[in-house]
């Protein structure tokens, strides 16, 4: 079997050669699953049949959209890829980090863990919907002033969780603010700043 | 360029980041947000085996799936990845595969779900080879060989092995000691775990390649791509405007950038290759694990006479970076020898993560010093003060060193003298303790470039190749430019991170942005000012060298009342362009930023849970260019240290060699509820080599944090924990219920 | 995720009949409440359904009603609703606390009580697409030779998962009942009978048969003189499962126990009632010595794996702490 040492001069230009090469030999195929007797997770027949598609109405930031989605599309995907609202980020796609946090009917949710088809009749609020024209939401202003974003990737989610908190509790304590944001990870470790920003926004608005 | 701090108009203030607006409104476009017409989505298939030869790859079923546009693998895409491995050649697809997660194929399709499904339809036949997971096992002569040269990772230059360094006379040093101690400390592989998963968008336009990369180094990424694809540099463009963190593992170009490039060529469309979070945990790299054996000789009063370090670091299947351990750098050691063996194993690669060689070895060394202090009956603050670094390798002075002041101010702030007690002295269920450690990071000047363009209305463009992974580098450069130019900050537009437009930058890692590019920004400003003064001299009836420019106004120093607006001067020439390349080097000094950290903890001895009740971080980073993000960097570094100290570890199943916790929940990155309030003290004295006297801020804060916490836990419980992470079960066992 | 079709159910009856229909057609169908956990299982390739039946569109399934002597909590009541319900918090002692300990705020807004009780294990082998473990139809429980640091010390074998729910131990300590709807109609049973030990069937965690759905939890109000305690030892204070947790509800008078219920989480494949400890405590003064003894009894017979020996000490101490806080 070829090791890494050979081949450097061969196919850098010709790397397209053999694209789509066929199978060799007849030995049993391993998918690489350990101890797997189970059938492969995906069988070609079940896929791409057009099943599991719908046209849905979505109300986002006060605006109505009609989009065709696959049932397996998450709200996060549809917001970002179909509606162009890329302010909502996907950090893990597993409901573990909070970068995708949006508000649905007044509460904060992981949009990567909600199917788009479940959103009919719901009011969705994303980071893009906070500012009123040129006027930023007090939370956004506070995040700027208190250095809320370092790399900025968790920022939309942190702000949306802050927004959900302040809509229910306009004068939170520090502990309440921390807890309300506790489903939002920040790997830059900027937690002190994010909480300070939420508290500052509360003071200003209240 | 020494300037008294109170003379600065912009430097040293608390200024919100210049792009904070884009980040809080969701307008900042990160690589994953980029949508190009006709773009395909790509995913990577990875080896499920730790060590195996690929016998065959059958992609026919995958290709037949509607929506699949191209499938590449080692058979049809043999592209070298030079920066991926420095001791034996590494390709984007390797055969044999050397760790669970080693890429085997990549698929481009019309949407990401189809790309994912296609992965499951690629039939790969493997022939398993014996594997090894433990570095000590890997060093044995009969261990399975991961590269043809064996498992001690021997390369050239920076990548030699073992890594050896010594000075003084070790034997004599141990003879002079009153007591000699030996012990071993162990740290684990932890992932950078930045929030933005890796993603790359590649696009060809008639032979010109553009890669939108989530990279910390657009210049070195471009160099990598041009080299490995044999393309002229002028035909490669790398763009990185916003990044969601990297912490050292997004520098240069990576294998998945190359895969996107190949797929884009194969399909004639732009291709966006996306990592899952699991891909990100295992497909790139994390901090190398280590086993550190120390032998330390000390006098009765605690003064170190000699240190010997023998260590093994686990750099995984490929040697991407040094595998070094440098935690002893912050301690004065007259006689020293270290021998470090970076070792290959069939595991996820260990490479750069914030201060790569430091937090793990500061944990080992500073824990051990703290332990020795206990054995000698010495208060740790005296032990650390006595042994703080004063001369680099016992020879060279530092360009600036205020570590002593850091220790004094930090210990005062936390109330060390009131709070310290003999370790384990409190008998309650909830035990309190206090601990400290010293750290910092390398600071040295180097090659940097900057370009300035003044517009006819007096506003300015500053172009630098830097990226901004969250350190606020863009803002730092803009502030330095504003200060150096004499133009208000809001009249400066900073353009960064695009190799077609911005000049060279070393790459935003190793805390090099401020010391490398900062001086270039200042020199480019001086270039522009010279041209401005030459133009304005006539009108102001003075010689160019008599002029000054402040707040966007030009005037003669002897007659400041007569001012000319900068725009009026520039419009006479149309536009003024200035540039500079700087490459200062130290003369007979070395450079470091220094830090002393202090923590107070409460340990619940029945559950093993530890709460940090206070944390003080005192830093000597020279002049602080912008206080607001600098403080945030310190706080953030401490939080990362908390994760490394308490919870984080990439766990590999012993039997199957498969990582079992490659996600946030199971690898346990710290949340809001783990973060204490971190009090930051900046000990500010300008360094003669830094831009406006500034040294480095980004990496120092993580380096002493783990040891600080571990030493506080020792003080609370009286039990020393020598293996990370310090999970509740370790504290319970230490308690010996 | 593999392609599937989502169907919004309008009634429990419809959901049940859909499940039956798809089973007859040999299609894989699953009901979904909040969906967070199920989506993750799909993304991990643990579950690959053809049909997902959305229960959120069934009106009234999330109602919380006080009736004589207890509360009827609809299956789709969210963890956030339970956490924030001031009357529940006051009258059901520990349930709101336990609900508030689950996962994170966003998950609690979506996650339902039934989903929390029925959630699949978070064992890292079970959730990994790299391991076809015993519970998924394979041959081996990987925790035995692999890393079982978070796994069972009681009730384990042949599988060593721990039940990941926070509300389940609290509900069992409160003596809750669970109502199930299915093709044969409705049935109610004590919640502690709902869970299945691996020694009985290692492929499932509860007794739900194909076509059956949880519709309601009934929780009686604790007797007067009752105090409760719920604590979860965890590595991270948010979004982390219990290493060990304890739910205690103790009815006492003058410091003497009349009736105690002690339920452990994080130690067994089911919420683990420490029946022996409960028996011991009856009629005893709840002091440090008895609390400690109760802790010892609760962990009698514990059989740790090589990596989770520490759980025994931790659990004993936690029981002790819980009991002393319940008097």
């Amino acid at each position: 079997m070829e090791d890494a040492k050979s081949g450097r001069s061969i196919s850098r230009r010709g790397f397209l050669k053999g694209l789509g090469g066929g199978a060799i030999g007849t030995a049993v195929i391993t998918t690489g699953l350990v101890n797997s007797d189970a059938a492969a997770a995906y069988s070609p027949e079940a896929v791409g049949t057009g099943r599991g598609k719908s046209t849905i109405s979505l109300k986002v930031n006060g605006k109505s959209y009609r989009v065709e989605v696959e049932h397996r599309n998450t709200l996060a995907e549809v917001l970002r890829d179909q509606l162009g609202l890329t302010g909502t980020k996907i950090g893990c796609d597993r409901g573990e980090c909070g970068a995708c946090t949006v508000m649905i009917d007044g509460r904060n949710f992981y949009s990567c863990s909600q199917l788009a088809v479940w959103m009919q009749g719901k009011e969705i609020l994303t980071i893009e919907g906070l500012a009123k024209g040129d006027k930023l939401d007090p939370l956004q202003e506070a995040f700027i002033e208190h250095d809320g974003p370092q790399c900025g990737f968790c920022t939309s989610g942190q702000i949306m969780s802050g927004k959900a908190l302040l809509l229910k509790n306009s004068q939170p304590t520090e502990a309440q603010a921390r807890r309300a944001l506790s489903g939002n990870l920040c790997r830059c470790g900027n937690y002190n700043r994010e909480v300070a920003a939420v508290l500052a926004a509360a003071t200003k608005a209240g | 360029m020494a300037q008294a701090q109170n003379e600065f108009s912009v430097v040293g203030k608390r200024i919100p980041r210049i792009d904070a607006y884009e980040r809080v409104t969701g307008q900042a476009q990160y690589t994953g947000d980029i949508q190009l017409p006709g773009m395909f989505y790509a995913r990577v298939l990875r080896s499920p085996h730790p060590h195996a030869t690929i016998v065959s790859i059958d992609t026919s079923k995958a290709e037949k799936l509607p929506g699949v546009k191209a499938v590449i693998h080692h058979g049809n895409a043999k592209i070298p990845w030079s920066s991926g491995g420095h001791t034996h050649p590494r390709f984007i697809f390797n055969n044999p595969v050397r760790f669970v997660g080693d890429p085997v194929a990549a698929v481009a399709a019309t949407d990401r779900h189809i790309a994912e499904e296609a992965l499951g339809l690629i039939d790969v036949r493997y022939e398993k080879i014996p594997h090894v997971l433990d570095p000590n096992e890997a060093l044995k002569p009969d261990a399975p060989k991961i590269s043809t040269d064996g498992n001690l990772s021997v390369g050239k230059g920076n990548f030699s092995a073992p890594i050896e360094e010594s000075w003084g006379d070790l034997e004599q040093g141990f003879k002079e000691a009153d007591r000699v101690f030996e012990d071993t400390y162990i740290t684990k592989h932890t992932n950078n775990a930045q929030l933005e998963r890796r993603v790359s968008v590649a696009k060809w336009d008639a032979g010109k390649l553009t890669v939108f990369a989530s990279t910390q180094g657009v210049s070195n990424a471009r160099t990598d791509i041009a080299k490995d694809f044999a393309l002229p540099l002028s035909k490669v463009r790398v763009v990185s405007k916003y990044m969601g963190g990297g912490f050292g593992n997004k520098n240069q170009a990576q294998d998945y950038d190359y895969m996107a490039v190949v797929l884009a060529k194969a399909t004639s469309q732009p291709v966006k290759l996306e990592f899952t979070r699991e891909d990100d945990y295992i497909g790139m790299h994390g901090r190398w694990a280590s086993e550190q054996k120390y032998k330390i000789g000390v006098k009765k009063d605690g003064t170190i006479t000699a240190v010997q370090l023998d260590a093994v670091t686990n750099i995984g299947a490929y040697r991407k970076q040094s595998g070094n351990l440098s935690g002893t750098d912050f301690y004065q050691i007259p006689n020293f020898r270290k021998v470090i063996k970076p070792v290959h194993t069939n595991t996820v690669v260990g490479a750069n993560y914030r201060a790569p060689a430091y937090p793990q070895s500061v944990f080992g060394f500073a824990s051990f010093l703290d332990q020795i202090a206990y054995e000698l009956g010495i208060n740790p603050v005296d032990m650390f003060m006595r042994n703080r670094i004063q001369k680099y390798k016992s020879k060279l002075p530092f360009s600036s060193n205020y570590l002593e002041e850091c220790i004094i101010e930090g210990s005062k702030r936390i109330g060390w003298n009131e709070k310290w007690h003999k370790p384990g002295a409190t008998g309650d269920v909830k035990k309190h303790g206090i601990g400290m450690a010293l750290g910092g990071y390398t600071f040295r000047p180097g090659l940097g470039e900057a370009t300035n363009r003044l517009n006819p209305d007096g506003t300015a463009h500053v172009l630098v190749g830097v990226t901004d992974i969250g350190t606020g580098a863009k803002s730092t450069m803009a502030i330095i430019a504003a200060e150096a130019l004499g133009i208000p900050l809001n009249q400066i537009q900073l353009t960064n991170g695009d190799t077609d437009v911005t000049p060279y930058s070393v790459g935003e890692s190793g805390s090099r942005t401020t010391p490398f590019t900062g001086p270039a920004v200042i020199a480019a400003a001086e270039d522009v000012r010279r041209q401005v003064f030459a133009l304005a001299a006539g009108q102001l009836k003075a010689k160019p060298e008599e002029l000054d420019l402040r707040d966007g106004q030009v005037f003669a120093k002897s007659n400041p009342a007569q001012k000319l607006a900068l725009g009026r001067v520039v419009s006479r020439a149309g536009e003024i362009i200035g540039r500079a390349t700087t490459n200062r080097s130290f003369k007979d000094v070395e450079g470091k930023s220094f830090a002393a950290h202090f923590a107070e903890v409460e340990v619940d001895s029945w559950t093993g849970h530890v709460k940090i009740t206070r944390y003080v971080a005192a830093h000597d980073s020279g002049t602080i260019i912008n206080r607001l993000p600098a403080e945030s960097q310190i706080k953030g570094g401490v939080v990362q240290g908390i994760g490394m100290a308490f919870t984080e570890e990439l766990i590999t199943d012993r039997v199957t060699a498969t990582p079992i916790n490659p996600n946030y929940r199971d690898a346990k990155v710290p949340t809001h509820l783990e973060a204490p309030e971190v009090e930051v003290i900046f000990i500010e004295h300008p360094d003669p080599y830094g831009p406006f006297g500034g040294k480095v801020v980004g990496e120092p804060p993580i380096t002493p944090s783990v040891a600080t916490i571990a030493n506080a836990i020792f003080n609370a419980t009286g039990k020393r924990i020598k293996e990370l992470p310090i999970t509740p079960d370790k504290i319970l066992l230490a308690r010996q219920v | 995720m593999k392609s599937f079709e989502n169907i919004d159910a309008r009634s429990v009856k419809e959901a049940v009949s859909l499940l039956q229909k798809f089973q007859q057609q040999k299609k894989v169908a699953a009901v979904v409440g909040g969906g967070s956990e199920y989506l993750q299982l799909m993304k991990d390739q643990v579950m690959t359904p053809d049909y997902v039946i959305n229960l959120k569109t069934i009106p009234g399934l999330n109602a919380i009603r006080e009736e004589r002597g207890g509360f009827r909590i609809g299956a789709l009541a969210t963890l956030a609703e339970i956490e924030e319900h001031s009357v529940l918090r006051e009258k059901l002692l520990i349930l709101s606390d336990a609900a508030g300990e689950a996962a994170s705020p966003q998950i609690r807004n979506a996650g339902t009580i039934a989903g929390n009780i029925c959630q699949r294990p978070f064992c890292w082998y079970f959730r990994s697409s790299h391991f076809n473990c015993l519970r998924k139809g394979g041959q081996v429980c990987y925790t035995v030779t692999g890393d079982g640091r978070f796994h069972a010390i009681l009730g384990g074998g042949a599988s060593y998962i721990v039940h990941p729910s926070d509300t389940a131990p609290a509900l069992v300590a409160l003596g809750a009942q669970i109502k199930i709807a299915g093709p044969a109609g409705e049935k109610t049973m004590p919640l502690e009978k709902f869970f299945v030990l691996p020694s009985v069937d290692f492929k499932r965690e509860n007794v739900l048969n194909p076509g059956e759905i949880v519709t309601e939890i009934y929780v009686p109000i604790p007797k007067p003189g009752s105090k409760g305690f719920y604590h979860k030892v965890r590595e991270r204070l948010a979004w982390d499962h219990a290493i060990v947790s304890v739910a205690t509800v103790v009815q006492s008078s003058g410091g003497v126990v009349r009736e105690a219920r002690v339920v452990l989480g994080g130690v067994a494949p089911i919420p683990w009632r420490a029946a022996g400890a409960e028996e011991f405590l009856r009629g005893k003064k709840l002091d440090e010595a008895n609390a400690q003894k109760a802790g010892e009894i609760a962990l009698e017979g514990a059989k740790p794996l090589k990596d989770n020996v520490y759980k025994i000490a931790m659990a004993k101490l936690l029981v002790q702490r819980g009991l002393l806080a319940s008097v």
Side-chain angles (χ1 to χ4, degrees), chain B residues 508-543:
Chain B
E508 214 210 335
S509 65
S511 293
R512 289 175 290 183
T513 307
T514 301
F516 282 44
T517 307
V521 170
I522 294 173
E526 283 163 6
D527 183 19
V528 147
R529 284 164 66 96
R530 266 192 296 275
Q531 296 179 61
V532 166
F533 296 155
L535 275 173
Q539 228 178 312
L540 286 170
K541 297 191 175 40
K543 295 208 196 75

Side-chain angles (χ1 to χ4, degrees), chain B residues 140-420:
Chain B
K140 295 194 175 139
D142 53 350
K145 288 207 184 342
I146 289 160
S147 77
T148 47
D149 301 324
N151 298 333
L152 178 63
S153 178
V154 182
K156 296 191 198 51
N158 278 346
F159 300 101
S160 64
I163 299 167
E164 294 192 49
E165 197 172 20
S166 59
W167 61 80
D169 180 340
L170 198 66
E171 209 184 298
Q172 182 58 27
F174 282 123
K175 281 209 189 86
E176 285 168 16
D178 290 323
R179 290 185 63 179
V180 175
F181 296 89
E182 291 188 57
D183 217 337
T184 302
Y185 286 80
I186 293 175
T187 68
K188 305 289 170 59
H189 179 113
T190 57
N191 191 277
N192 307 39
Q194 76 293 330
L195 244 312
E196 181 195 31
R197 298 171 300 172
R198 298 175 174 293
V199 56
S200 190
V201 179
K203 165 167 117 84
W204 291 86
D205 295 299
K208 166 90 182 278
L209 169 65
T210 302
V211 179
F212 300 94
S214 178
T215 179
Q216 294 167 232
V218 290
S219 306
N220 52 39
R222 181 177 75 143
T223 309
D224 285 346
I225 293 169
K227 173 177 171 198
D228 288 330
F229 283 91
L231 290 167
L233 286 165
S234 53
K235 289 294 191 186
V236 179
R237 176 182 180 204
V238 179
V239 182
S240 178
K241 295 286 187 181
Y242 287 93
M243 282 183 67
F247 313 112
N249 75 354
K250 283 183 172 177
N251 215 355
Q252 301 187 260
Q254 313 288 350
D255 54 0
Y256 65 94
D257 293 304
Y258 290 16
M259 292 174 203
V261 169
V262 174
L263 287 168
K265 187 81 180 192
T267 60
S268 303
Q269 295 292 129
V271 168
K272 179 191 280 185
L273 191 152
E274 296 173 319
F275 268 31
T276 63
R277 180 50 61 181
E278 179 175 336
D279 284 332
D280 215 287
Y281 260 93
I282 67 176
M284 198 39 52
H285 66 247
R287 184 183 297 286
W288 51 79
S290 70
E291 185 186 273
Q292 308 160 38
K293 289 191 170 69
Y294 290 97
K295 184 173 167 188
I296 303 181
V298 290
K299 290 241 176 276
K300 272 199 292 280
D301 66 3
T303 310
I304 295 171
T305 61
V307 172
Q308 182 178 337
L309 168 61
D310 288 288
V312 164
T313 53
N314 187 349
I315 50 154
Y318 300 94
R319 179 86 170 281
K320 236 178 147 197
Q321 258 102 25
S322 72
N324 201 353
L325 294 168
S326 305
T328 46
D329 279 3
F330 308 106
Y331 304 88
Q332 191 63 35
I333 302 169
N335 304 290
F336 177 77
R337 180 162 152 75
K338 81 176 177 189
V339 177
I340 298 175
K341 296 185 176 147
V343 180
H344 286 297
T345 61
N346 294 109
T347 60
V348 175
V349 172
N352 284 356
Y353 172 11
R354 199 167 188 169
Y358 288 94
Q360 60 274 55
S361 49
V362 173
F363 163 70
F365 191 71
S367 291
F368 200 9
L369 269 193
D370 187 69
Q371 180 67 28
I372 292 170
Y374 169 67
E375 309 265 353
L376 296 176
I378 296 175
N379 189 321
V381 73
D382 296 328
M383 186 79 177
F384 282 104
M385 181 65 93
R386 182 178 290 280
N387 290 300
R388 75 191 184 284
I389 185 76
Q390 296 184 62
K391 276 214 159 58
Y392 180 71
K393 298 193 188 180
S394 270
K395 250 194 338 241
L396 282 178
F398 289 95
S399 57
S400 64
N401 176 356
Y402 295 93
L403 186 51
E404 182 181 8
E405 210 177 319
C406 290
I407 298 172
I408 292 170
E409 293 304 314
S411 60
K412 211 190 303 176
R413 174 77 70 90
I414 201 161
W416 183 275
N417 290 332
E418 296 79 52
K419 299 216 173 96
W420 187 78

Side-chain angles (χ1 to χ4, degrees), chain A residues 11-130:
Chain A
S11 9
R12 221 163 12 196
R13 296 219 187 272
F15 56 65
L16 294 177
K17 261 195 232 157
L19 207 58
I24 310 163
T26 54
V28 170
I29 290 162
T30 168
T31 60
L33 274 180
V34 182
N35 276 343
S36 170
D37 303 313
Y42 304 121
S43 61
E45 300 76 50
V47 162
T49 55
R51 188 163 56 80
K53 273 198 171 107
S54 296
T55 304
I56 60 170
S57 311
L58 273 186
K59 187 137 181 245
V60 185
N61 300 332
K63 205 170 145 191
S64 287
Y65 298 85
R66 270 186 85 67
V67 274
E68 192 188 74
V69 304
E70 288 190 63
H71 292 190
R72 63 182 169 181
N73 291 142
T74 62
L75 174 60
E77 271 186 285
V78 171
L79 287 172
R80 289 173 49 77
D81 297 338
Q82 296 215 44
L83 303 188
L85 297 168
T86 56
T88 302
K89 309 297 178 197
I90 301 178
C92 70
D93 200 31
R94 303 172 55 83
E96 292 172 359
C97 77
C100 68
T101 303
V102 300
M103 277 176 58
I104 304 172
D105 289 345
R107 285 185 178 265
N108 55 336
F109 290 82
Y110 297 138
S111 60
C112 75
S113 303
Q114 295 293 320
L115 295 181
V117 290
W118 294 342
M119 295 294 111
Q120 305 247 55
K122 301 211 185 280
E123 300 255 356
I124 297 161
L125 185 65
T126 73
I127 189 77
E128 291 94 341
L130 284 190

